[in-house]
Amino acid sequence: MLPSLPVLALSLLLTRALGQAFQFQERVFLQSLGLDKVPSPQKFQPVPSILKKIFHSQEAAATTGVSQDLCHVKELGVRGNILRLLPDQGFFLYSKNPPQASSCLQKLLYFNLSAVKDKEELTMAQLGLELGPNTYYKLGPELELALSLVHEPQVWGQSIPKPGKMFVLQSVPWPQGVLYFNLLDVVKEWNNNPQKNLGLLLEILVKGHRDAGVSFQLKDTCARLRCSFHAYLLVVTLNPEQCHRSSRKRRAAISASNASCKNLCHRHQLFINFRDLGWHKWIIAPKGFMANYCHGDCPFSLTTSLNSSNYAFMQALMHAADPATPQAVCIPTKLSPISMLYQDNDDNVVLRHYEDMVVDECGCG
């Protein structure tokens, strides 16, 4: 038997109302993550080993109950609670004139800093240049890297943007692996004056082979270098409003099996799977977490034994005297943070720590 039209209309309205409620709650939570909408990356950006190491270290500390200072990144030795990996949005440059014999690569490096909020304090900005896998068994040529600030924007018909003062000139063997450069002062200037962020000009020259008896083709060397080249900017910031020292250790709350009555206030297990929310497309790790929740009765006779506050006891006392006064309710009394590794709306890989995400203990309040 087919449902009547009023039943279908009511079902449709209910479905729409539930959908709107979910969208509202999702939007509120995303705002707490610093996102204006659900990210939709085309593909996951590669995550450097240092971010993986920091994430796993914080996960292990949270699991074992070790005290953490969420304002300090011990692996990097800097203050901060937000780590962003900004991908290079620049492009390779091609000159109309024949390149010099030693010129191998010219590239404009550009990093979008718009994700960094005004209230965040920059504590670290490290440029990483990947020049291919490091190997000691197959020696390549000697390279010279020249890195300059771009002071004037590139205009139409101009093959190369006008560089400013060169601030890095370094000779390195190739293959080299990853080179790191401290750009904190430069990035601070860009963040304070976004119009000055015109990027960096990178030029790589080939000085010659390290083994004088070995000949090499410049064209082949440059082609390999361009294929393996990758640049990123690791930015660490400190947001004091979201950064608090966590000295709390996870302890077992009153569980259903230990409680004298299953209806009493205690912690219940609740695992949040990001795939169920459709967030697995932009959250890299974790895949989910045990959030838990509090539920149960708070009777006056047992209020003091259910991890309750003095206020909850007085409220229960007033309820006994005047039933119009609401009873104390079962609420979280101990919460702990989690770390999340995800891609934001600008395709930056972000590692952040979020307070009060896991319910550790419940009580009446």
Side-chain angles (χ1 to χ4, degrees):
M1 179 179 178
L2 294 177
S4 63
L5 187 58
V7 172
L8 287 175
L10 181 60
S11 176
L12 180 61
L13 289 174
L14 181 60
T15 302
R16 180 177 299 178
L18 291 174
Q20 291 176 347
F22 174 79
Q23 291 175 0
F24 174 77
Q25 296 291 344
E26 182 181 52
R27 185 165 62 251
V28 171
F29 182 72
L30 290 174
Q31 289 175 353
S32 71
L33 301 185
L35 303 171
D36 55 359
K37 61 180 180 180
V38 177
S40 55
Q42 299 299 318
K43 63 177 181 179
F44 278 128
Q45 297 287 348
V47 181
S49 57
I50 183 62
L51 284 189
K52 294 180 181 178
K53 179 180 179 181
I54 295 171
F55 173 78
H56 291 306
S57 174
Q58 290 161 351
E59 282 282 281
T63 302
T64 56
V66 175
S67 175
Q68 300 182 73
D69 184 356
L70 299 181
C71 296
H72 184 260
V73 186
K74 64 179 181 179
E75 290 82 0
L76 300 176
V78 296
R79 302 285 290 169
N81 66 325
I82 307 174
L83 292 83
R84 294 184 178 92
L85 188 75
L86 311 183
D88 172 30
Q89 299 180 10
F91 48 86
F92 288 102
L93 301 169
Y94 300 92
S95 174
K96 293 182 179 179
N97 301 321
Q100 300 178 359
S102 61
S103 181
C104 193
L105 181 150
Q106 283 185 325
K107 193 175 192 301
L108 176 69
L109 306 178
Y110 181 78
F111 303 97
N112 184 1
L113 297 172
S114 61
V116 180
K117 307 303 180 184
D118 294 338
K119 64 181 67 176
E120 298 177 30
E121 175 190 350
L122 279 160
T123 60
M124 178 178 173
Q126 185 182 74
L127 174 67
L129 301 178
E130 295 186 8
L131 304 179
N134 196 355
T135 174
Y136 299 97
Y137 301 102
K138 188 176 181 180
L139 297 179
E142 189 82 9
L143 303 180
E144 183 177 82
L145 276 70
L147 198 60
S148 308
L149 282 171
V150 176
H151 282 176
E152 294 185 13
Q154 188 176 16
V155 298
W156 186 85
Q158 181 181 348
S159 58
I160 298 177
K162 187 176 181 180
K165 182 180 179 181
M166 183 183 303
F167 66 95
V168 170
L169 183 62
Q170 180 175 341
S171 295
V172 297
W174 187 72
Q176 170 63 29
V178 185
L179 297 176
Y180 300 102
F181 302 94
N182 180 11
L183 295 188
L184 182 58
D185 292 337
V186 173
V187 173
K188 280 184 176 180
E189 178 68 17
W190 286 347
N191 196 48
N192 294 331
N193 303 282
Q195 68 277 7
K196 292 187 177 182
N197 183 8
L198 302 176
L200 305 168
L201 181 62
L202 172 67
E203 184 173 14
I204 299 180
L205 308 176
V206 178
K207 299 178 64 175
H209 205 281
R210 283 174 281 173
D211 188 344
V214 177
S215 61
F216 69 97
Q217 295 293 325
L218 178 63
K219 185 176 181 180
D220 294 341
T221 299
C222 294
R224 289 171 52 204
L225 182 61
R226 294 164 81 87
C227 290
S228 59
F229 179 82
H230 178 67
Y232 60 84
L233 185 68
L234 178 60
V235 175
V236 181
T237 62
L238 175 67
N239 186 340
E241 296 179 0
Q242 301 175 349
C243 191
H244 308 284
R245 182 173 182 85
S246 175
S247 59
R248 298 168 304 210
K249 295 186 177 182
R250 294 189 179 180
R251 294 172 293 177
I254 302 175
S255 62
S257 58
N258 295 330
S260 58
C261 178
K262 292 185 177 181
N263 294 329
L264 294 181
C265 174
H266 66 275
R267 183 185 63 175
H268 299 256
Q269 288 191 345
L270 172 64
F271 182 78
I272 295 181
N273 190 330
F274 290 133
R275 180 174 291 274
D276 295 338
L277 301 174
W279 293 358
H280 64 289
K281 298 177 182 178
W282 56 277
I283 295 180
I284 302 172
K287 303 302 181 184
F289 69 101
M290 188 66 74
N292 304 322
Y293 69 96
C294 296
H295 183 70
D297 298 332
C298 291
F300 170 69
S301 58
L302 293 177
T303 300
T304 55
S305 63
L306 292 179
N307 204 18
S308 305
S309 62
N310 290 333
Y311 174 80
F313 177 78
M314 294 303 299
Q315 184 177 357
L317 191 64
M318 285 300 300
H319 176 76
D322 181 7
T325 303
Q327 285 187 344
V329 294
C330 187
I331 59 173
T333 57
K334 292 288 184 180
L335 296 139
S336 56
I338 68 168
S339 298
M340 287 179 57
L341 190 62
Y342 61 92
Q343 281 188 224
D344 65 10
N345 302 122
D346 297 314
D347 277 351
N348 304 318
V349 177
V350 184
L351 175 58
R352 293 184 67 165
H353 323 301
Y354 296 99
E355 286 277 2
D356 303 335
M357 295 288 286
V358 176
V359 175
D360 294 327
E361 296 183 11
C362 300
C364 296

